[in-house]
Amino acid sequence: MKIIITGILGQDGANMAEYLLKNTNAKIFGMMRRSANPNFINCKNFTKHYNFEFVYGDLTDSVSIDNLVRQIQPDYFINFGAQSFVGCSWDIPLQTFDVNATGVVRCLEAIRRFKPDCKFYSAGSSEELGDVIYTPQDLNHPLRPRSPYGASKASARHVVKVYRDSYKLYAVHGLLFNHEGTKRGEEFVTRKITKGVARIYHAIKNNQIFEPIELGNLDSKRDWSDSEDFVDGVWKMLNQKSPKDYVLSSDETHSIREFVEKAFNHAHIEGYWHGEGIEEKYYINDTYIENKQIESSCLVKINPKFYRPAEVDLLLGDSNLARKELNWKPKISFDKLVEKMVCFDIDNF
Ligand code: GDP
């Protein structure tokens, strides 16, 4: 069995490879773009595995995708490569579309022409739902994206269905709500918070003053899970009798504010909110700290540069279908996820 995974240096690609190397005998081809400075940190557990190989390719270069599918003849093609950050999709909208939407067409075309029985996974996102009209959201929820990123993923959803219907390909586009973990990039709010908490934890321990974490909108709500739980659901989606999209989510929603509180709690730092709007701050609430400068310190403050031109206010998934038909469920709760990320970042600071 041969499997191509794109986005291998990213969170989901690396977690998928780890999962498949552990649970199957498949040969994994991890696709990466050429870069003068690649970061292999997420892949450190498997770069030397006998069943793993890096291959060069680029979702914007159809020659590279065609050649990989033609030469490798994969049984599965799992596409986690993406411009995955919503925030900067307003700055680079064309690249976002080229990678996230047209890139999916390039993969589907390569599969159609060179290996039509290869099963294809396309990474869909709850950002496709955007300005939601009901809660919790399932597969029937209309696509109402609020960002170039969300629109690019919604386009990919349509094109996957078109190729599935037109050419009878086994192609699925999972609807995955936010998923995080210790491989998450620091530009995402969860990792930004847990790395910030680790920095402040060590400063307090050493009696040093510190800068607060700067965040944008604290009131948006997300349905967060562990990426390691989701790769299991993705593999199950790829191994059904017939191709069908599913929602993967925790079916719980929490605000950024709650994430902040929980993350500091796991580092045994208590805080309180004070002020309103962009003046709102989270202050340390610890009378046991010797250094008085630290005692009055601010842990979190607002920086409006992290506000988005348009916000997705609330995401809450309904993954009942996946739980029933795929026999899938997440193992890591929201609380455990925050704890795992905070502890990892404190230990690896
Ligand atoms: P997304 O759901 O894929 O956009 O994941 P993110 O982690 O990038 O953002 C989740 C939510 O956190 C969004 O509603 C953001 O507006 C909000 N947020 C608040 N402050 C920040 C910040 O400093 N960075 C990021 N990335 N998001 C922030």
Side-chain angles (χ1 to χ4, degrees):
M1 186 158 68
K2 287 173 285 183
I3 303 177
I4 294 177
I5 302 176
T6 69
I8 195 68
L9 303 184
Q11 166 184 264
D12 293 352
N15 279 336
M16 190 85 233
E18 270 180 26
Y19 173 89
L20 292 171
L21 290 167
K22 193 166 150 212
N23 294 296
T24 72
N25 268 326
K27 168 98 201 223
I28 310 296
F29 297 86
M31 189 183 99
M32 57 181 274
R33 280 173 297 157
R34 209 216 77 86
S35 156
N37 269 319
N39 183 346
F40 293 102
I41 186 84
N42 287 340
C43 305
K44 66 178 188 328
N45 291 338
F46 58 82
T47 43
K48 299 225 162 64
H49 194 286
Y50 63 95
N51 257 343
F52 180 78
E53 188 180 325
F54 282 113
V55 289
Y56 280 122
D58 191 319
L59 286 164
T60 64
D61 182 338
S62 54
V63 172
S64 70
I65 306 298
D66 287 354
N67 282 343
L68 287 176
V69 174
R70 201 161 40 82
Q71 286 160 11
I72 293 171
Q73 292 287 297
D75 302 286
Y76 296 85
F77 188 119
I78 303 178
N79 184 35
F80 281 128
Q83 191 304 87
S84 62
F85 184 43
V86 173
C88 86
S89 72
W90 279 274
D91 302 322
I92 48 168
L94 294 179
Q95 199 238 6
T96 301
F97 262 78
D98 199 10
V99 176
N100 296 4
T102 315
V104 170
V105 184
R106 293 185 185 104
C107 299
L108 288 163
E109 269 300 306
I111 290 168
R112 179 184 76 79
R113 286 160 62 210
F114 302 118
K115 189 69 167 65
D117 65 344
C118 170
K119 294 179 169 185
F120 179 64
Y121 180 78
S122 170
S125 161
S126 48
E127 287 289 324
E128 294 166 43
L129 311 178
D131 191 9
V132 302
I133 53 171
Y134 66 80
T135 298
Q137 297 93 38
D138 56 13
L139 273 177
N140 298 319
H141 192 285
L143 304 182
R144 296 160 56 89
R146 295 271 283 165
S147 62
Y149 171 86
S152 71
K153 289 285 181 180
S155 308
R157 174 171 306 282
H158 290 304
V159 84
V160 167
K161 181 177 183 304
V162 167
Y163 271 68
R164 182 164 70 207
D165 295 347
S166 309
Y167 303 115
K168 308 288 169 254
L169 300 185
Y170 193 115
V172 294
H173 184 83
L175 180 46
L176 272 52
F177 282 64
N178 293 54
H179 43 289
E180 318 293 315
T182 54
K183 297 189 182 79
R184 193 52 145 161
E186 240 179 283
E187 65 275 34
F188 292 87
V189 77
T190 54
R191 195 72 195 280
K192 183 173 172 181
I193 295 168
T194 61
K195 283 217 164 186
V197 167
R199 173 175 58 75
I200 291 172
Y201 171 89
H202 284 286
I204 292 175
K205 211 170 135 199
N206 297 317
N207 240 0
Q208 291 163 346
I209 53 170
F210 53 83
E211 292 298 317
I213 306 171
E214 295 188 0
L215 298 175
N217 181 7
L218 299 171
D219 295 316
S220 56
K221 292 180 141 189
R222 290 291 182 271
D223 179 330
W224 283 296
S225 300
D226 190 319
S227 161
E228 290 179 43
D229 280 337
F230 275 17
V231 294
D232 172 51
V234 166
W235 186 236
K236 290 192 160 109
M237 265 186 239
L238 281 169
N239 289 290
Q240 300 304 300
K241 280 208 187 83
S242 51
K244 185 167 152 189
D245 298 342
Y246 288 92
V247 169
L248 299 184
S249 57
S250 74
D251 300 1
E252 274 181 34
T253 192
H254 301 275
S255 65
I256 312 302
R257 198 184 294 278
E258 275 177 83
F259 195 104
V260 165
E261 292 162 10
K262 205 169 262 300
F264 277 107
N265 278 343
H266 280 300
H268 309 292
I269 300 170
E270 267 185 52
Y272 63 94
W273 296 100
H274 185 75
E276 272 180 35
I278 62 165
E279 296 306 325
E280 185 172 3
K281 292 187 174 66
Y282 195 54
Y283 290 100
I284 198 160
N285 178 17
D286 196 330
T287 45
Y288 301 103
I289 290 175
E290 286 166 27
N291 183 336
K292 292 293 167 208
Q293 253 180 313
I294 291 179
E295 196 181 324
S296 59
S297 278
C298 170
L299 299 166
V300 174
K301 71 175 194 183
I302 307 287
N303 184 337
K305 95 171 176 198
F306 296 111
Y307 285 135
R308 292 173 176 179
E311 182 62 277
V312 172
D313 295 322
L314 166 70
L315 291 172
L316 171 57
D318 173 355
S319 60
N320 275 314
L321 200 65
R323 290 169 196 242
K324 210 168 93 197
E325 294 186 3
L326 301 179
N327 196 20
W328 170 86
K329 68 167 193 255
K331 296 190 188 87
I332 305 281
S333 66
F334 173 67
D335 189 55
K336 285 274 164 240
L337 173 68
V338 182
E339 183 182 15
K340 170 176 148 177
M341 292 176 73
V342 168
C343 291
F344 181 90
D345 285 337
I346 286 177
D347 291 347
N348 292 279
F349 181 68

